[in-house]
Amino acid sequence: MAQAGISCDIVVFGGTGDLAMRKLLPALYYLHRDGHLHPDTRILALARAQHSLESYGKLVKRHVSQHVARGDFDVVHWEQFAKRLDYLSLDVSQRVAFPRLTKVLSPGTGRVRVFYLATMPGLFAATVQHLSSVGLVDEHARVVLEKPLGESLETANEINDRIGKVFDETRVFRIDHYLGKEAVQNLLALRFGNALFEPLWRNAHIDHVQISVLESVGVENRGDYYDRAGAMRDMVQNHLLQLLCLVAMEAPVHFEPEAVRNEKLKILEALRPITGMDVQDRTVRGQYGAGQHAGERMPAYYFEKKVDHDSNTETFVALKTEVDNWRWAGVPFYLRTGKCMAQRKSEIVIQFKPVPHRLFPRSGDNPENNRLIISLQPDEGIRLSLMAKSPGRGMGLQNVDLNLDFAAAFTRRRWDAYERLLLDVIEGDATLFMRRDEIEAAWRWVDPIIEGWGDFYRSPKPYAAGSWGPDAADSLLERLGHSWLDPR
Ligand code: BG6
């Protein structure tokens, strides 16, 4: 078998954090187990906590075994994987600590180095400056930045400017893990790998689009971060806007970083701004109160750990926007995300226009529209709702679904988003990462909404945990005769 991958050092800042434990190290374990890491690839975790290599190894083992699928963790692979691991206790805010890192990484060897910053964005700039000052940034070094990058256009620019002084843009990998999901890449395959939908994929045939990313869990242990971010910065600015881009963008000429990112950028720039008083009309912000989910009582958001008791942070956002270009003019795009919702569900609904002239009698209340539903989570699939003749007398029509279930169609294990993205970073492929100008365009659109909330919409609307969000989110669609496609 050919030797796998590129020999490299993967350096994880925030090596004891939630992201490293739940996502990055399990993903690296899978890449190792499945032969995608070069035999010489090393993983160096850094954090402030004091650990011996042995105690860190135990910690990682516990988490990896919990976070990979049952049956995928085995001792033989683990022991080989553990040999790649190293740990260094280091305070990244202290420049004096970095020469110790140099000793471990020995610069000047021409080895690819991936610096993964799984820390607070406030530490990004200082970390890369310190790396550079000890000679660890050369043309083989890459940096991976977690979202959200900054809290506004201004703060994102400050971070990007400082990072740009050390790493040129081609070596900055801004991650949005939604782009690493198989189901999200399937959206590209559906649109650009099939001739079928393209002629219909436009305002002449599409009535509206719904993009929902709903979670049934609350803020869990991340109250301190979340209370400063809220759903707009945590989800809409990145994951939802990226999904919108993939739905709305033109076909890129190549599946290569600049071609794909140029097309996404055009969509972000064409988003109709929501400013001033419009924020009241076209956005809904909510916050969960106490409620129930699957028979379990759930606390109100403001009683969650590390959340301010008077918090006005939104845990739910719904909004209506439009993409002001030739293809999409006049088509509402509804975006919605929330925590503590009735169901975990991420899906994109493409609602087509009705037939121009009705020939057959309506049967029951069925709307006579075709609908394409792309399910991203928890199940991955595509459903196309068609009209068919009801059995029996007459020509009454009813909806029937053409159903494609990816779990049934592909028996191979589905990769986690971080596996795919980590491998892309090692190989230097930035196609599924965000370019600086995309981040800027996204903040440019989001900032006025957050400002408008401060001026005109300070208190989020309450909704019960375990529900479908505030009633106002339904009214947002009802005004145009639309409704969310929820099983209520
Ligand atoms: C993260 C957000 O980016 O995405 C979290 O910070 C959210 O708040 C998570 O829970 C959702 O990701 P996924 O892959 O579980 O849908």
Side-chain angles (χ1 to χ4, degrees):
M1 195 172 104
Q3 204 161 62
I6 294 169
S7 167
C8 67
D9 291 331
I10 303 168
V11 185
V12 181
F13 289 85
T16 51
D18 194 54
L19 181 72
M21 291 298 160
R22 280 193 312 120
K23 293 289 183 186
L24 303 180
L25 289 155
L28 288 166
Y29 168 81
Y30 269 124
L31 290 177
H32 161 83
R33 190 200 70 163
D34 296 348
H36 298 294
L37 293 185
H38 188 281
D40 293 339
T41 289
R42 300 185 300 172
I43 301 163
L44 171 62
L46 306 172
R48 270 204 304 216
Q50 294 291 340
H51 274 293
S52 63
L53 181 53
E54 196 194 347
S55 68
Y56 184 70
K58 277 190 188 149
L59 183 73
V60 177
K61 184 175 181 187
R62 200 174 73 230
H63 281 90
V64 169
S65 60
Q66 270 169 19
H67 289 104
V68 301
R70 195 173 294 163
D72 282 353
F73 185 83
D74 70 81
V75 178
V76 176
H77 283 116
W78 165 258
E79 280 172 3
Q80 293 162 353
F81 178 72
K83 290 192 187 130
R84 296 181 185 274
L85 280 180
D86 201 354
Y87 181 80
L88 196 63
S89 160
L90 182 135
D91 180 350
V92 293
S93 62
Q94 303 298 316
R95 155 79 180 74
V96 286
F98 278 69
R100 285 177 31 235
L101 181 56
T102 325
K103 281 207 189 110
V104 184
L105 292 177
S106 27
T109 52
R111 217 170 140 75
V112 168
R113 258 183 231 120
V114 173
F115 295 109
Y116 198 118
L117 308 194
T119 54
M120 302 291 260
L123 295 171
F124 290 175
T127 308
V128 299
Q129 268 159 5
H130 295 156
L131 285 172
S132 161
S133 71
V134 295
L136 282 171
V137 181
D138 58 19
E139 72 273 23
H140 304 291
R142 293 160 199 165
V143 66
V144 187
L145 308 175
E146 267 294 330
K147 52 122 297 240
L149 199 85
E151 296 179 341
S152 60
L153 177 61
E154 191 186 343
T155 50
N157 276 344
E158 277 166 25
I159 298 174
N160 279 324
D161 283 347
R162 290 178 68 189
I163 287 177
K165 289 199 175 112
V166 176
F167 285 93
D168 65 51
E169 182 63 27
T170 58
R171 291 184 294 124
V172 181
F173 289 74
R174 297 179 191 83
I175 206 163
D176 181 317
H177 78 279
Y178 266 58
L179 295 180
K181 288 180 189 270
E182 292 266 5
V184 174
Q185 290 152 33
N186 245 319
L187 178 56
L188 292 170
L190 176 84
R191 287 200 55 205
F192 305 128
N194 295 283
L196 200 61
F197 293 107
E198 170 53 25
L200 306 176
W201 211 261
R202 59 193 65 248
N203 48 10
H205 303 286
I206 292 179
D207 182 69
H208 72 274
V209 176
Q210 300 179 11
I211 301 178
S212 297
V213 178
L214 311 182
E215 298 180 271
S216 52
V217 293
V219 290
E220 300 180 298
N221 295 320
R222 298 160 72 228
D224 46 351
Y225 149 74
Y226 195 89
D227 207 33
R228 277 180 291 114
M232 185 60 124
R233 295 186 177 96
D234 185 49
M235 298 293 287
V236 179
Q237 191 269 348
N238 31 78
H239 304 326
L240 275 93
L241 288 186
Q242 286 292 317
L243 291 177
L244 187 154
C245 286
L246 299 188
V247 172
M249 70 195 241
E250 296 299 314
V253 179
H254 311 286
F255 193 62
E256 282 173 8
E258 299 325 316
V260 171
R261 300 188 296 182
N262 287 345
E263 295 305 335
K264 285 196 288 161
L265 179 65
K266 286 183 203 158
I267 296 301
L268 292 167
E269 287 178 337
L271 284 179
R272 180 166 308 170
I274 303 179
T275 53
M277 299 287 279
D278 272 355
V279 297
Q280 276 180 312
D281 270 359
R282 289 166 47 198
T283 73
V284 175
R285 62 191 304 246
Q287 187 188 82
Y288 60 84
Q292 283 209 350
H293 186 262
E296 299 256 314
R297 287 168 66 82
M298 301 178 84
Y301 172 70
Y302 48 79
F303 282 138
E304 297 277 17
K305 272 180 273 168
K306 302 188 197 156
V307 167
D308 188 345
H309 287 340
D310 301 323
S311 174
N312 268 333
T313 299
E314 76 285 352
T315 60
F316 175 97
V317 175
L319 59 85
K320 169 177 170 280
T321 184
E322 284 185 35
V323 179
D324 285 329
N325 67 11
W326 195 284
R327 186 187 283 267
W328 292 111
V331 179
F333 279 73
Y334 297 109
L335 308 187
R336 174 177 62 154
T337 185
K339 295 220 182 256
C340 278
M341 303 294 291
Q343 249 182 33
R344 174 172 184 239
K345 172 174 92 156
S346 301
E347 72 183 13
I348 298 167
V349 178
I350 312 288
Q351 180 75 53
F352 289 94
K353 291 187 170 163
V355 288
H357 170 65
R358 182 182 299 141
L359 207 55
F360 305 114
R362 189 191 285 272
S363 158
D365 295 334
N366 290 323
E368 292 179 17
N369 290 27
N370 298 125
R371 188 187 284 143
L372 181 69
I373 301 161
I374 302 156
S375 304
L376 309 175
Q377 290 178 163
D379 304 317
E380 293 177 25
I382 294 176
R383 243 159 57 224
L384 180 61
S385 161
L386 300 172
M387 300 310 295
K389 180 190 167 301
S390 289
R393 242 181 115 201
M395 271 306 290
L397 301 188
Q398 68 178 71
N399 292 103
V400 277
D401 283 350
L402 277 178
N403 219 334
L404 170 59
D405 174 355
F406 286 121
F410 302 107
T411 47
R412 264 179 296 150
R413 183 179 74 81
R414 313 287 282 158
W415 282 37
D416 181 75
Y418 281 95
E419 287 174 62
R420 162 76 198 252
L421 296 174
L422 279 163
L423 206 53
D424 284 355
V425 179
I426 294 170
E427 287 169 1
D429 180 353
T431 310
L432 297 177
F433 294 80
M434 292 179 291
R435 206 167 54 192
R436 176 173 178 165
D437 47 9
E438 283 181 79
I439 303 273
E440 288 171 9
W443 279 123
R444 208 170 287 121
W445 185 79
V446 160
D447 274 357
I449 304 179
I450 296 177
E451 269 159 39
W453 284 346
D455 294 340
F456 308 111
Y457 200 165
R458 198 163 277 280
S459 308
K461 295 190 189 305
Y463 64 97
S467 72
W468 291 99
D471 293 344
D474 297 329
S475 319
L476 182 74
L477 272 70
E478 279 159 12
R479 279 179 241 156
L480 291 178
H482 302 146
S483 56
W484 296 107
L485 189 72
D486 294 329
R488 325 185 207 184

